[in-house]
Amino acid sequence: MRIAVIGGGVSGLMAAYRLRTILGDGADIVVIERRQRLGGILHTGELAKHPVDLGAEAFVGRRPEMPALLRELGLEQQLVFPAGRTPLVWSGGVAHPMPQGTLMGIPSTAESMRGLVDDETVAMIADEPRRPLAWYPDADMDVYSLVASRFGAQVAERSVDPLLGGVYAGSSRSIGVRAALPTLAAALDAGATSLTHAVAAALPPPSDTPVFGGIRDGYRVLLQALSERSGARSLTATAATRLARSTRGWVVDPIGAVDAVVLATPAPVAARLLRTVAPAAAAAAAGIEVSSSVVVALSLPRNTALPDNSGILVATGEPLRAKAFTLSSRKWPHLAARETALVRASFAKFGDDAPLSWTDDELIAAASEDLATVTGIPIDPLEAVVQRWPGGLAQYAPGHLDRVAEIESATAEFDDLAIAGAYLHGVGVPACVATGERAARHLAARYAPRS
C-alpha cells in the first residue's frame, strides 16, 4: 500500500509517523515537500554555534499534544519551560507592563489597562457593563470591531494587536472572534450581558501549569524524530502539481499512483490541488488568506543590559519597523546559560509584505536600531541570522470556522483522502500535531489491519 503525504511540515510529518505506528512496515509512505527541507515553518538554524528556532519557538504547554508526543518519542528530557517573566508593550514611545488578567489582551477590568491607555478609555471600560450589548449567536465579526466598540480603539491597538500579531502575524482587524477566541464567543452566545462579563467567563481557571513550553535543542529534534520514526521516503524540493482520482485511489504528480493521500499543505496549495476533485472544498480554502513574516535572530554580548522581561511587543501605530522582540535569554533558562545573549525580532503583519523585500543587512540594522529604541541601550550584534516566511501563517478571519466546516464536509466523502495543516483548527504546533494525528486515523479506519 502506498500513501502520499503532501506537505512536510509538522502536520504532515505527524501524519506520516502515526500512519507508520498504525499500519506497520508494510505501508510505503512518501512525503512530498516543495521546500528544500522538511519542517515547513518550523526551522532550527544556528547562531553563535548554538541551535536557534527561526520559526515558532514555543507552544501552548497547557494543551496535551506536545508533552504526550515528546514522551512517546522518548524526548521528554527536551521539554523546557519559560522562566516566568512577563512581556512589555511599547506604546506611545514608552515600555509598559503587559496588562494581566486579559484574554488575548482583552481586559476583564478597567484597572488592568491603566497606564497603557488614557483615562477616557479606562472610564469607557469601567462603564461597559452598563451599556446594552448587541450580540447575535452564530454571528461573527473581527476582533477589532468588537473590542473597539466596547472598550475603545486604544485597547485593540495597544493590548490586543500586539498579541494577535505574535500568534497570527495579523491584527485585530484581520482576525475573527469565533476562530481566535472560541471561549469568548461561547460566553457571548450563552448570554453574557457585556463584553466585560464575557471575558471574565472565558478566562481559563488559575493553574500552576506553565502556559508555554519549548524544546531545549530546537524543533529540529522533533522534526528529525518524526521523520526517522515514520520510515517515510522524503522528496524535498518537489512540488505536488496535480491531484486526481483514479480507479484504485489517486494520482499525485509527479510521483504517480497512490492508494491514499494526506493533504497537509497551506490553504492556497490545498485550494489548487482540490480544485477538480472537491471544488467546494477548494473554493472554501481559497478564501483563507495568508500573512508573511520575517524573523531576525541577534547574538549579543552576554552582559548586554536587556530588560528583565520575556519580550517587548509593539503596539499598532508606533514608528518602529519591528512588531515584537523576544528576549530569549531572559525568557528561557536554558538559553540564559549560553555565552552570548539571544534576541529574536519579528517583522511584517497581514497586508504588509514589505520587510520580505529588504536585504538581510537592512533587516539586521532595523532590528538592532529598534531594539536600541525600546531598551534604551546600545545594540551591537556579534552575529545575526535572517529567516523569511512568505505566506507562512493563515489568517483566521471572520467566517473562518464556516470555511473549515465546508472544507471538511466536502472532503469527508473520501475515506482515502485526509486533510491536515495550520489553516484548520489552530496555527500553533499542538493544533498542527492534532490535525496530523486526526488525518492519519481517518485513513487508518480504512487501511489498518483487522485483528
Side-chain angles (χ1 to χ4, degrees), residues 165-394:
V167 176
Y168 297 99
S171 74
S172 57
R173 297 176 188 270
S174 67
I175 303 298
V177 172
R178 289 198 176 277
L181 301 164
T183 58
L184 179 64
L188 291 166
D189 288 345
T193 56
S194 68
L195 181 56
T196 300
H197 293 148
V199 172
L203 284 171
S207 172
D208 294 332
T209 304
V211 177
F212 298 107
I215 299 179
R216 179 181 300 278
D217 295 322
Y219 274 111
R220 67 183 181 187
V221 174
L222 172 65
L223 300 172
Q224 182 177 348
L226 288 174
S227 179
E228 291 178 351
R229 297 276 288 275
S230 74
R233 294 186 291 120
S234 298
L235 301 179
T236 55
T238 303
T241 56
R242 183 173 73 105
L243 176 64
R245 209 74 173 101
S246 72
T247 55
R248 60 180 293 269
W250 299 90
V251 174
V252 177
D253 288 344
I255 67 170
V258 297
D259 296 288
V261 173
V262 174
L263 188 56
T265 66
V269 179
R272 175 171 55 80
L273 292 174
L274 290 170
R275 188 166 53 240
T276 59
V277 297
I288 299 175
E289 297 185 277
V290 293
S291 179
S292 301
S293 62
V294 180
V295 173
V296 180
L298 304 175
S299 175
L300 306 175
R302 185 174 183 178
N303 61 355
T304 303
L306 296 170
D308 195 24
N309 296 90
S310 61
I312 305 170
L313 310 179
V314 179
T316 296
E318 293 299 305
L320 296 177
R321 292 150 294 184
K323 67 180 181 183
F325 298 92
T326 303
L327 307 180
S328 304
S329 298
R330 298 281 192 252
K331 181 176 180 178
W332 299 100
H334 70 285
L335 298 180
R338 293 183 179 177
E339 60 272 16
T340 59
L342 174 64
V343 175
R344 290 172 20 125
S346 301
F347 293 82
K349 288 184 179 181
F350 179 65
D352 175 24
D353 292 337
L356 273 75
S357 66
W358 300 350
T359 67
D360 285 5
D361 287 344
E362 289 171 334
L363 285 162
I364 294 167
S368 302
E369 292 163 9
D370 286 359
L371 182 59
T373 296
V374 299
T375 60
I377 59 176
I379 298 296
D380 186 16
L382 302 172
E383 291 183 46
V385 61
V386 175
Q387 178 66 53
R388 294 169 177 80
W389 297 112
L393 283 173

Side-chain angles (χ1 to χ4, degrees), residues 139-141 168 174-180 267 284-285 287-290 393-408 421-427:
D140 199 4
M141 65 172 64
Y168 297 99
S174 67
I175 303 298
V177 172
R178 289 198 176 277
I288 299 175
E289 297 185 277
V290 293
L393 283 173
Q395 295 299 285
Y396 280 42
H400 181 80
L401 298 185
D402 293 334
R403 295 184 187 92
V404 172
E406 177 64 31
I407 294 167
E408 293 179 331
Y423 67 93
L424 294 171
H425 298 290
V427 298

